[in-house]
Amino acid sequence: MARLAFILLCHKDPEAIVEQAQRLTAAGDFMAIHFDARADPRDFRRIREALADNPNVAFARKRVKCGWGEWSLVAATLEAVRAAVAAFPEATHFYMLSGDCMPVKSADYAHAFLDAHDRDYIESFDFFASDWIKTGLRDERLIYRHVFNERRNKALFYAALDVQKRLGLERAIPADLQVMIGSQWWCLRRGTIEAILDFIARRPDVVRFFRTTWIPDETFFQTLVRHLIPETEIESRTLTFLMFSDYGMPVVFHDDHYDLLLSQDALFARKISPEAAGLTRRLGALYASGGREVVVSDEGRRLYAFLTQRGRIGRRAAPRFWETEGKLGHGRELLVVVCKKWHVARRLIARIEAATDIPCIDYLFNERSCPLPDLGGIETTLEKRHRHRRALLRMLFEYHEVERMAICLDPADFDLLEDLRGDTARTRVLEVACRFSDDDLVGHARRIGLAGPRTRPETLARLLPTIRNEIALEHERIRDTGAAQHVQLREGDPPEAAAARLAEFLGLGPDEALEIATTENLFAD
């Protein structure tokens, strides 16, 4: 059976460290602790004394003064790894942790998971080919030597870098290595750890190289695991659930994130807020609970993106200059049916097209599979359609040889709608306001990836009000513009009222509009 040796790097909060060690070793696992040599020595003595009688806890023989971005973090990790390898011959896996990590599965689940999946878990992407690094130094991390800490000695750090650049002091990467990059939170099998320790004993040149790279904890283990272990035995992901904000800061979890964390495809999570006492208590009890039945829906990152990355009102950015240059043309009229329930809008425009001579195109900016004629390639991808939206619509007007045309938009496409309203062509908007049951919202959440078939009912119950409010906000923004050519068709309107609104939108007589308004099962799901 799998038994874990946790590699814990820490520098503060001795009480929490003691609790974490006792909690994780109580289930039969092990822990090797490296406490930063820069930290208060009295804190370290308190940790040693509190855990002195715990045979499943070991301490790094040598304590290293750690600094973010330095080799010292890798050196500290290696000291703790060596201590764990020597002290715990029964350990089958070695798992990197920090003091603000907590388990999100039971020990029994973790052991069974690792028994069933004989592989190493470590993010490792090609350093030069991937886009893992979003900002800051990239190639410079490797090809120049870094002996100063950017956070403590910013002036010296960049002065040394500038001197090397001006003098052309680039260095070669060890020829047999393909440098990889990824998260420092890994879980490696014992054989892999022993292979790494043996490799660095034989290859001091590799250690010298990484010793003066910048942020080596994101490249050292990632590179050596790929160098030493067959690709089929590596899964390029971390078993620690973590997220980062748009600004590169770790997302912090609080008491109300318990169910979310449990449902993620991970064994641990970071960062847990120091103030989240309830979450810490519940997750601590979970590890020793013995339960193995877990529903993994893994929607955490999609939920976070949904709630935070769409931006505030205004949606982040103004239209690009190339989106405002093209015009649909004076004298033309674009009829826009805005509806969240796409099947309702499709039924409506199919009826409009059958009853009139207006060509109707459904969600061409939302669905790649929307049938479009060959327009020279501009129609082939959603990205191209959005980038050249006015050119695309102008070509569709010309293709159909008409001056009036109807399209469908999702109400989330507010910026696109506003852009079209600003065109020289006349734009009329029919907002179709549908009723949404809880089942409708669940289906919507699954279609857009916010939930899966295994998402827990409790998670869905908390998610549904957010989705309902989001849909309501989308419609409010459309109505709040106060545009003159805006008509609203509501589910449940009497046929005569619906016909009047359709007549206004389409410019039809009352009888023709009533025929469309009474389309059978128009709002049926």
Side-chain angles (χ1 to χ4, degrees), residues 12-67:
K12 62 180 181 179
D13 203 351
E15 290 81 8
I17 293 168
V18 170
E19 290 178 6
Q20 189 179 36
Q22 292 173 337
R23 179 188 308 122
L24 297 180
T25 58
D29 291 319
F30 310 100
M31 179 174 287
I33 298 174
H34 177 277
F35 195 74
D36 193 341
R38 295 185 190 276
D40 191 333
R42 293 172 297 180
D43 289 342
F44 183 57
R45 285 196 296 271
R46 290 164 64 186
I47 296 170
R48 295 281 315 232
E49 291 169 2
L51 298 173
D53 297 331
N54 190 330
N56 286 13
V57 174
F59 291 87
R61 181 182 59 84
K62 178 184 177 182
R63 292 171 59 208
V64 179
K65 292 182 178 181
C66 296

Side-chain angles (χ1 to χ4, degrees), residues 252-261 276 278-279 282 459 462:
V252 178
F253 299 109
H254 298 275
D255 285 345
D256 56 350
H257 290 124
Y258 178 79
D259 290 324
L260 171 72
L261 294 178
L279 179 61
R282 296 178 74 185
T459 302
R462 286 192 296 274

Side-chain angles (χ1 to χ4, degrees), residues 134-162:
K134 303 299 183 185
T135 59
L137 301 180
R138 186 182 177 90
D139 296 10
E140 295 93 337
R141 290 191 187 191
L142 304 180
I143 63 176
Y144 297 113
R145 296 168 179 83
H146 301 277
V147 295
F148 301 105
N149 187 292
E150 192 263 353
R151 291 191 172 183
R152 293 199 305 271
N153 301 293
K154 189 180 290 289
L156 288 174
F157 178 91
Y158 286 105
L161 179 60
D162 184 59

Side-chain angles (χ1 to χ4, degrees), residues 69-142:
E70 297 177 359
W71 167 257
S72 56
L73 288 177
V74 178
T77 303
L78 289 172
E79 290 296 332
V81 164
R82 291 187 180 103
V85 168
F88 310 125
E90 305 97 327
T92 62
H93 294 76
F94 295 75
Y95 197 119
M96 269 290 293
L97 283 180
S98 70
D100 49 21
C101 293
M102 287 293 293
V104 294
K105 300 290 187 296
S106 71
D108 285 355
Y109 179 97
H111 298 156
F113 177 89
L114 294 173
D115 281 335
H117 303 86
D118 182 23
R119 64 195 69 168
D120 296 308
Y121 289 89
I122 182 169
E123 273 192 356
S124 51
F125 305 100
D126 186 280
F127 185 92
F128 297 101
S130 73
D131 63 348
W132 201 85
I133 298 174
K134 303 299 183 185
T135 59
L137 301 180
R138 186 182 177 90
D139 296 10
E140 295 93 337
R141 290 191 187 191
L142 304 180

Side-chain angles (χ1 to χ4, degrees), residues 258-512:
Y258 178 79
D259 290 324
L260 171 72
L261 294 178
L262 260 61
S263 67
Q264 303 315 303
D265 188 13
L267 302 183
F268 282 76
R270 109 180 260 277
K271 284 183 153 189
I272 308 301
S273 169
E275 286 77 37
L279 179 61
T280 300
R281 184 180 62 255
R282 296 178 74 185
L283 292 178
L286 170 69
Y287 195 69
S289 66
R292 293 193 185 186
E293 295 299 321
V294 176
V295 176
V296 175
S297 51
D298 206 32
E299 71 282 339
R301 291 182 176 86
R302 293 189 298 273
L303 283 174
Y304 181 76
F306 171 71
L307 294 172
T308 64
Q309 293 180 3
R310 298 181 66 184
R312 301 294 184 259
I313 301 301
R315 303 301 190 191
R316 294 207 182 272
R320 304 293 192 250
F321 71 89
W322 60 78
E323 294 173 346
T324 58
E325 288 300 313
K327 301 296 181 184
L328 301 187
H330 287 285
R332 285 177 173 160
E333 188 172 57
L334 182 65
L335 306 174
V336 183
V337 177
V338 179
C339 184
K340 197 68 178 181
K341 288 188 176 180
W342 293 5
H343 57 281
V344 173
R346 288 193 177 103
R347 289 191 195 117
L348 179 60
I349 65 168
R351 192 70 190 87
I352 291 172
E353 194 164 36
T356 69
D357 58 356
I358 302 172
C360 298
I361 305 163
D362 58 28
Y363 291 88
L364 73 165
F365 294 107
N366 302 101
E367 282 196 316
R368 189 180 64 84
S369 58
C370 172
L372 292 172
D374 183 352
L375 300 173
I378 194 175
E379 80 289 351
T380 53
T381 67
L382 285 174
E383 181 183 6
K384 287 183 178 180
R385 295 179 201 175
H386 275 271
R387 186 186 306 135
H388 308 293
R389 60 186 68 161
R390 296 195 189 188
L392 172 66
L393 291 172
R394 187 171 62 251
M395 293 171 76
L396 285 171
F397 273 111
E398 293 168 357
Y399 175 84
H400 290 290
E401 298 180 344
V402 294
E403 297 302 305
R404 300 178 78 209
M405 183 173 69
I407 65 171
C408 297
L409 286 185
D410 189 285
D413 295 323
F414 178 78
D415 289 340
L416 193 154
L417 179 61
E418 285 298 280
D419 182 37
L420 296 177
R421 278 173 162 168
D423 194 85
T424 54
R426 186 180 184 186
T427 302
R428 291 176 176 267
V429 177
L430 176 67
E431 176 201 353
V432 183
C434 302
R435 296 169 182 160
F436 284 87
S437 67
D438 285 352
D439 288 342
D440 293 332
L441 297 179
V442 169
H444 176 67
R446 287 175 175 156
R447 280 192 298 275
I448 64 176
L450 290 179
R454 303 179 69 185
T455 299
R456 296 159 62 95
E458 309 92 273
T459 302
L460 285 172
R462 286 192 296 274
L463 178 61
L464 294 188
T466 302
I467 298 176
R468 192 180 295 277
N469 290 338
E470 177 76 8
I471 293 173
L473 173 64
E474 291 171 355
H475 282 275
E476 285 174 14
R477 294 178 68 202
I478 292 171
R479 290 193 292 271
D480 287 348
T481 59
Q485 305 300 325
H486 175 226
V487 179
Q488 186 185 58
L489 179 66
R490 295 185 297 268
E491 182 176 358
D493 281 345
E496 294 75 14
R501 294 184 176 99
L502 286 170
E504 180 182 354
F505 174 65
L506 296 169
L508 298 178
D511 293 338
E512 294 173 291

